[in-house]
Amino acid sequence: MPTNSIPLPTAPPMPDYKAMPKILCGRGGSVQALYIHIPFCTCKCDYCDFYSLAGHADQYGRYLDALERQMRLETEVFGPIAPETVFIGGGTPTLLPPDDLQRLMAAIHQFCPQTRLTEFTVESNPNTFDTARAAILADAGVNRISFGAQSFQPAELNALQRDHDPHSVGRAMQIARAAGINNLNIDLIYAIPGQTLGSLDENLDAALALAPEHLSCYGLMYEPNTPMTARLRRGQIDPVSEELELQMMELVSRRLRSAGFDRYEISNWAKPGRACRHNLHYWNAGDHLAWGVSASGHHSGVRWKYVSSLHRYCDALESGRLPMVELEQLSPARRQAEAAVLQLRLAGGIDPRAFQEQPGAANADKFSEVIQKYRLSGLLTSRPGGAIALTDAGVAVSDTIFGDVFAALDGD
Ligand code: SF4
C-alpha cells in the first residue's frame, strides 16, 4: 500500500430510518399527497437546479430497484397509504423506456393503493412522449400530464438549452388525448434572455391554440450554481430588465384571463375545476410523502429530505437504510409562518383569524399590523368571508410581503 496516499473524504453518515420520529409511525392513512422523483433527463438545461442527470441510462434498473426498496421501507414506517394525489416529477419520468415505466407503475400500484386517488400526474418533456408510454400511463390510472414546453420559439429554447422542438408539444398533447388523458398542463417560462413582449405574446398564442386545461407560467430564475447564472456573472447574458419582466407578467395575466383561465396561485392558471390538486396540497401545507433521490416529505410538522446523490441513494437502500439527510421537527410558530406564506400564494388567501388565534403565533399584534399595512397600500385585499389575499399589484412584490408575514409569525 503506498505510504503517501491521501484518504478520500468520506460522506457524513446518514441517520437510520428508524430515527424517524414515533409521531410519524402508522400515520400513512392521513397522507394526502405522494411525490415520486425520477431524476433522468436527455440533457441538462442551463437554468435547471432540480436534481436531474443527463444520460445514466445504465442506472435506470438500479434506481427502480432502490425506489421499490424505499416504497417497502417507508410503508413499513407509515403503514398503508392511500393518497388523494400522486405526482411523478423529475427529471423526465417519460424518458424511462416503456418496460421501466410499466415496472414503475406496477410498484406504485403495489405500495400505494388507489382507493382515494383523484389526480395522478406525470411530468413529461414533449420529445419523450409517445403512444407506447401514453398507453402505459393511461392504463395505470394517470389522468393528468404536465408538459414542459417553456417556449415555442427555437431561439428561446436554445437560450434555455432545451432539446425539444416547438412542434413536439402539440404532437405530445394529441397523443395524450388520444390515449384518454384529458387534463393537460403546459409549462411556460417568461423573461428568457432575448425575449420580447411580442415573442411572449406569440408563445401564449401557441399555447392557447393547443387548448390546455392548465398553464404554469414562471419568470426565469437565475438559481445559484447553474450554468446560466455563471454566464450571467461573466456578463455573457443580457437579462430581461425588471420593468420588462413586470410587463411580461401583466401580459400573461391579461391574455390568460381573457382566455377563461383563473389565476388560482401566483404562477398557475386553470380552467374551472382544473387546478392542480396535488400542488394545492403543498400550498395548503398538507401532509405528503416523497419517494426518490432528493425528494422531501412533510407530515405532522416533521420535514425530511433524501440525499441528492444517485449513488448514495441507491447504496443506502441496498444496505437496508432510508437515505435521509435532513430531519427537522418544526416549531409551532415556524410551521404556522410557513403555512401562511404558502397559502398567501393562493387566490383564496389566508384566514387571518386562524393565524392570530392559534397558539404558537409569535406576535399576533405584529401580524395584524403587517396585514393592515399591505391592505392599506392595496397589495392585500379582503375576500368575502374574511380571507386575505394578494391583489394583482401585490403579486408583483409578493416576496417582500411574504418576508414580512413570515417574520411576524415566526419571530425566531
Ligand atoms: S428537462 Fe427539466 S429537470 Fe431536466 S434538466 Fe431540463 S429543466 Fe431540469
Side-chain angles (χ1 to χ4, degrees):
M1 188 184 203
T3 52
N4 60 349
S5 65
I6 301 170
L8 288 171
T10 51
M14 288 181 274
D16 189 88
Y17 76 95
K18 290 180 184 124
M20 266 194 167
K22 290 218 168 20
I23 191 176
L24 298 179
C25 296
R27 302 295 294 273
S30 57
V31 167
Q32 294 167 315
L34 170 67
Y35 175 77
I36 301 168
H37 192 75
I38 303 296
F40 307 108
C41 287
T42 48
C43 66
K44 186 79 185 173
C45 306
D46 264 12
Y47 61 96
C48 175
D49 80 332
F50 300 117
Y51 182 76
S52 61
L53 303 162
H56 288 73
D58 59 337
Q59 296 295 311
Y60 295 169
R62 186 181 181 215
Y63 184 67
L64 292 179
D65 286 344
L67 203 49
E68 285 173 14
R69 287 169 194 260
Q70 179 181 10
M71 294 177 185
R72 190 176 301 281
L73 283 178
E74 239 183 62
T75 46
E76 272 173 21
V77 174
F78 282 92
I81 63 164
E84 293 161 21
T85 62
V86 174
F87 193 109
I88 308 180
T92 307
T94 49
L95 183 58
L96 290 177
D99 284 353
D100 287 333
L101 201 56
Q102 181 86 62
R103 179 181 165 190
L104 174 64
M105 294 297 135
I108 293 169
H109 277 263
Q110 181 183 347
F111 291 101
C112 171
Q114 305 199 352
T115 48
R116 292 202 303 159
L117 198 69
T118 58
E119 183 186 271
F120 189 169
T121 304
V122 173
E123 274 186 337
S124 178
N125 278 328
N127 57 345
T128 61
F129 200 77
D130 58 18
T131 47
R133 289 171 172 87
I136 290 166
L137 297 179
D139 279 355
V142 171
N143 56 16
R144 186 171 183 274
I145 307 277
S146 175
F147 287 109
Q150 318 310 355
S151 167
F152 289 84
Q153 319 280 336
E156 292 173 6
L157 290 171
N158 193 37
L160 297 170
Q161 293 287 293
R162 302 280 307 183
D163 72 343
H164 66 268
D165 79 85
H167 301 293
S168 61
V169 184
R171 269 199 306 268
M173 289 176 70
Q174 245 175 12
I175 291 170
R177 291 200 193 279
I181 305 175
N182 281 311
N183 193 4
L184 305 180
N185 170 59
I186 291 178
D187 282 342
L188 286 181
I189 292 179
Y190 60 89
I192 300 168
Q195 191 172 50
T196 62
L197 281 173
S199 68
L200 175 60
D201 209 26
E202 286 172 23
N203 285 339
L204 291 165
D205 282 340
L208 291 172
L210 297 173
E213 283 69 29
H214 188 286
L215 277 150
S216 298
C217 299
Y218 290 91
L220 178 65
M221 300 285 292
Y222 290 90
E223 303 287 358
N225 305 320
T226 61
M228 191 159 233
T229 302
R231 283 196 281 133
L232 179 73
R233 291 212 181 98
R234 289 197 297 269
Q236 294 166 337
I237 285 182
D238 191 13
V240 164
S241 68
E242 269 181 39
E243 191 190 350
L244 179 54
E245 182 165 351
L246 204 55
Q247 290 171 1
M248 289 179 168
M249 191 192 277
E250 286 163 4
L251 175 65
V252 168
S253 299
R254 241 187 355 263
R255 290 292 318 270
L256 297 189
R257 270 203 187 110
S258 66
F261 287 82
D262 285 331
R263 171 153 59 195
Y264 69 99
E265 191 270 348
I266 289 178
S267 307
N268 284 279
W269 300 79
K271 285 285 173 89
R274 299 301 191 134
C276 175
R277 296 176 190 194
H278 183 82
N279 286 338
L280 282 171
H281 284 311
Y282 287 136
W283 293 314
N284 284 310
D287 292 327
H288 65 272
L289 298 192
W291 291 341
V293 61
S294 81
S296 39
H298 170 266
H299 200 300
S300 309
V302 179
R303 185 164 51 202
W304 64 95
K305 181 170 169 58
Y306 293 111
V307 68
S308 295
S309 153
L310 180 69
H311 292 296
R312 288 192 70 205
Y313 175 82
C314 293
D315 287 348
L317 283 154
E318 284 160 8
S319 56
R321 287 176 296 115
L322 275 178
M324 258 190 296
V325 284
E326 288 167 28
L327 182 64
E328 186 186 6
Q329 170 91 57
L330 302 176
S331 69
R334 171 62 57 95
R335 195 174 168 191
Q336 213 176 44
E338 290 189 2
V341 166
L342 283 171
Q343 285 175 19
L344 260 185
R345 301 185 64 86
L346 297 170
I350 58 174
D351 180 349
R353 288 159 303 190
F355 290 91
Q356 282 156 337
E357 289 161 11
Q358 279 177 24
N363 189 339
D365 289 345
K366 197 166 167 210
F367 176 65
S368 301
E369 260 171 47
V370 169
I371 297 292
Q372 188 60 1
K373 176 177 90 174
Y374 286 117
R375 203 158 38 181
L376 289 174
S377 56
L379 299 173
L380 291 177
T381 186
S382 297
R383 296 258 182 259
I388 300 290
L390 295 169
T391 60
D392 279 356
V395 166
V397 291
S398 55
D399 285 347
T400 307
I401 299 172
F402 295 161
D404 278 357
V405 168
F406 191 91
L409 283 169
D410 186 34
D412 272 358

